[in-house]
C-alpha cells in the first residue's frame, strides 16, 4: 500500500466545488463558541459537499485565523450565512421546506443508527434536511428543540455520553450523506 499523491486525489478547485451538486443538507451551529470547532465543521462540510452552514448567535464567523487553522480553506468553498439567533435560522429553513433535526440527547430522540431518510424527510424523498448542533456546554437551545421535527442521538456506551461538536458533526454528516446517496440510487 502507498499513499496517494496530491495529484492523484483529484481535488476540486474552488470553482469546481461551487458548481458541484451538493448533498441536500444544511448544518446549523447554535451558539457554538469554539473557533476550532467551527473550522472543523467547515472542513467536514467541504469533505461531504454539504449545501451550506448557518452560523447562529455568538458562533464565530470567518474570516478569522483560528477558524482558518482547522478549516484549511473550507470557508472559501462552503456557502455559509449568519443569523442573529438559531430560532431565526430555523424559521427561515422551515419556510424553505427543510425538515429540522436537532442533534441532542433528548426525550424522543432517535438513535442515529435507527434513522432512515424517509424518517428524516417525512417520506418526502426530495425534501432537504437541516441538522442543528448545539453549544459545547448547554447543547441545542430548548426553543429550537421545540421547533425541530425530531432529535438525533449518537449511541454511546462509555461513561461520558458526550462528544465534541466537531466529532459529532463528522459522525452525523457521514451517516446522513450515506442516506442521501442511498435515496438517490433508489430514485434512479
Amino acid at each position: 500500500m502507498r499513499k496517494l499523491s496530491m495529484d492523484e486525489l483529484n481535488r476540486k478547485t474552488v470553482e469546481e466545488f461551487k458548481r458541484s451538486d451538493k448533498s441536500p443538507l444544511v448544518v446549523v451551529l447554535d451558539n457554538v463558541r469554539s473557533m476550532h470547532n467551527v473550522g472543523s465543521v467547515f472542513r467536514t462540510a467541504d469533505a461531504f459537499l454539504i449545501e451550506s452552514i448557518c452560523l447562529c448567535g455568538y458562533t464565530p464567523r470567518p474570516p478569522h485565523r483560528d477558524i482558518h487553522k482547522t478549516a484549511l480553506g473550507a470557508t472559501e468553498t462552503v456557502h455559509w450565512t449568519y443569523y442573529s439567533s438559531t430560532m431565526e435560522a430555523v424559521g427561515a429553513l422551515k419556510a424553505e421546506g427543510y425538515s429540522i433535526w436537532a442533534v441532542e440527547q433528548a426525550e424522543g430522540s432517535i438513535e442515529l443508527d435507527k434513522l432512515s431518510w424517509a424518517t428524516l424527510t417525512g417520506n418526502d424523498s426530495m425534501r432537504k434536511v437541516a441538522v442543528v448542533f448545539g453549544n459545547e456546554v448547554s447543547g441545542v437551545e430548548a426553543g429550537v428543540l421545540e421547533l425541530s421535527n425530531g432529535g438525533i442521538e449518537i449511541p454511546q456506551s462509555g461513561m461520558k455520553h458526550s462528544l465534541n461538536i466537531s466529532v459529532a458533526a463528522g459522525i452525523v454528516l457521514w451517516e446522513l450523506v450515506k442516506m442521501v446517496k442511498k435515496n438517490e440510487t433508489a430514485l434512479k
Side-chain angles (χ1 to χ4, degrees):
M1 183 181 329
R2 69 172 181 81
K3 285 184 178 184
L4 296 176
S5 70
M6 291 298 210
D7 290 337
E8 291 173 301
L9 290 175
N10 296 318
R11 290 184 177 188
K12 293 177 181 346
T13 65
V14 171
E15 288 311 312
E16 288 170 333
F17 182 95
K18 289 182 178 184
R19 288 191 308 266
S20 296
D21 290 333
K22 308 292 187 299
S23 293
L25 300 167
V26 170
V27 172
V28 179
L29 298 183
D30 177 16
N31 292 304
V32 171
R33 61 190 165 117
S34 165
M35 290 191 209
H36 297 285
N37 282 338
V38 172
S40 183
V41 172
F42 265 96
R43 193 164 163 190
T44 301
D46 176 284
F48 298 142
L49 281 172
I50 301 303
E51 185 179 307
S52 69
I53 298 175
C54 297
L55 305 174
C56 305
Y58 57 76
T59 302
R61 301 182 297 270
H64 195 284
R65 69 179 176 84
D66 286 341
I67 293 173
H68 181 70
K69 185 185 279 188
T70 50
L72 293 179
T75 57
E76 304 303 316
T77 55
V78 177
H79 176 74
W80 63 273
T81 54
Y82 171 74
Y83 291 89
S84 60
S85 76
T86 308
M87 297 287 282
E88 178 187 355
V90 167
L93 290 164
K94 278 188 165 260
E96 292 177 35
Y98 283 83
S99 178
I100 311 295
W101 286 76
V103 179
E104 186 63 81
Q105 295 169 328
E107 186 175 87
S109 286
I110 301 170
E111 290 188 353
L112 181 59
D113 58 335
K114 294 180 174 63
L115 271 175
S116 68
W117 189 249
T119 301
L120 290 169
T121 62
N123 289 315
D124 178 354
S125 61
M126 301 303 289
R127 192 169 186 195
K128 295 179 177 187
V129 173
V131 285
V132 182
F133 294 93
N135 174 274
E136 293 89 341
V137 175
S138 57
V140 176
E141 64 181 82
V144 172
L145 287 176
E146 290 174 20
L147 289 178
S148 297
N149 294 80
I152 299 171
E153 185 171 338
I154 301 169
Q156 299 171 58
S157 304
M159 187 179 96
K160 296 295 180 189
H161 287 269
S162 171
L163 293 168
N164 181 284
I165 180 186
S166 63
V167 173
I171 292 167
V172 170
L173 292 175
W174 171 242
E175 290 299 323
L176 297 185
V177 166
K178 288 191 317 186
M179 287 180 208
V180 167
K181 289 180 180 189
K182 186 175 178 182
N183 179 61
E184 288 172 350
T185 301
L187 291 174
K188 289 182 181 177

